[in-house]
Amino acid sequence: MVRRSLLIVILWLCSPWVWANQTSILILGDSLSASYGMDEADGWVRKLQQNLPDIQLINASVSGETSDGGLRRLPGLLAQHQPDWVFIELGGNDGLRGFQPALTQQNLAQLIELSQAAGAGVLLSEVMVPPNYGRRYAELFQGIYPSLAEAHDVALVPFFMTEIATDPSLMQRDGIHPNRAAQEKIAAFLKPWFEQAVAE
């Protein structure tokens, strides 16, 4: 009986008409949003979806994604999903690979412009690189995001890993990715930002 009820709920949620009149947010991110190292059901996107029944979250995040990779994929995603909003959480892998900040900024600017041209609002997540990359590089990289937010008049969401990354109990063994225990915290952190965007 329980299994049957669960199946009915899943089929209902998968029905197109359920989401027809709801605001949708396309999440374009990397491994931090792609449930790296765990089942998708344990990731923050799924956790947040459970607490935002009036908003459809479309997770298009891919582990290892760079800003240029996102740029290649975004036109197809916009055409397929026609989202009301796009949450951009990219750049971390650019930094880890030592990409020039100017190139990352250019790619992110194009992501914002493509989203806006498609009629979607944009939420831009700050991203930071580990301090061992050097103070100058870290500052240049971190400066990308407020500059883009101001230039394109989009909401700048503080990096959701800032406090989590300094707590070993919330990190996987690689010291880069959040673990299962961190996912609820990330969802709770982002929830008001998504709600505020939709309310505007």
Side-chain angles (χ1 to χ4, degrees):
M1 189 70 175
V2 174
R3 288 184 178 179
R4 183 179 178 183
S5 299
L6 181 59
L7 178 60
I8 291 173
V9 171
I10 292 173
L11 290 174
W12 180 78
L13 287 172
C14 292
S15 300
W17 55 266
V18 172
W19 303 110
N21 296 316
Q22 291 185 310
T23 300
S24 58
I25 301 177
L26 175 71
I27 299 168
L28 187 68
D30 52 29
S31 56
L32 297 180
S33 299
S35 308
Y36 177 86
M38 66 193 75
D39 292 336
E40 184 179 353
D42 295 324
W44 72 259
V45 177
R46 189 68 64 86
K47 301 287 186 185
L48 184 54
Q49 180 67 86
Q50 294 169 357
N51 291 306
L52 293 176
D54 297 325
I55 302 174
Q56 180 191 12
L57 301 183
I58 305 163
N59 195 359
S61 303
V62 175
S63 292
E65 187 72 288
T66 56
S67 60
D68 57 351
L71 191 55
R72 287 192 296 270
R73 291 196 301 123
L74 183 59
L77 292 169
L78 291 172
Q80 178 184 355
H81 299 290
Q82 300 179 18
D84 298 296
W85 289 85
V86 178
F87 175 63
I88 301 174
E89 179 269 303
L90 287 175
N93 287 306
D94 295 39
L96 292 176
R97 298 179 187 185
F99 287 11
Q100 288 296 320
L103 176 59
T104 299
Q105 183 164 349
Q106 178 182 329
N107 290 338
L108 291 173
Q110 291 184 61
L111 288 170
I112 295 170
E113 291 163 3
L114 283 171
S115 300
Q116 292 176 330
V122 174
L123 291 167
L124 178 64
S125 175
E126 282 187 310
V127 175
M128 299 178 186
V129 294
N132 61 313
Y133 277 70
R135 180 177 177 180
R136 181 176 181 277
Y137 183 81
E139 289 179 350
L140 285 172
F141 190 88
Q142 188 174 347
I144 290 173
Y145 297 88
S147 177
L148 285 171
E150 182 178 359
H152 296 274
D153 192 25
V154 300
L156 181 63
V157 180
F159 191 33
F160 57 75
M161 288 293 296
T162 301
E163 295 186 6
I164 289 173
T166 58
D167 185 344
S169 70
L170 298 176
M171 298 295 289
Q172 295 184 38
R173 290 184 178 180
D174 60 13
I176 297 175
H177 298 95
N179 61 22
R180 286 181 178 83
Q183 303 303 309
E184 289 281 5
K185 294 182 179 296
I186 296 173
F189 179 87
L190 291 174
K191 184 173 183 284
W193 288 95
F194 284 23
E195 289 177 323
Q196 181 179 347
V198 170
E200 292 179 354

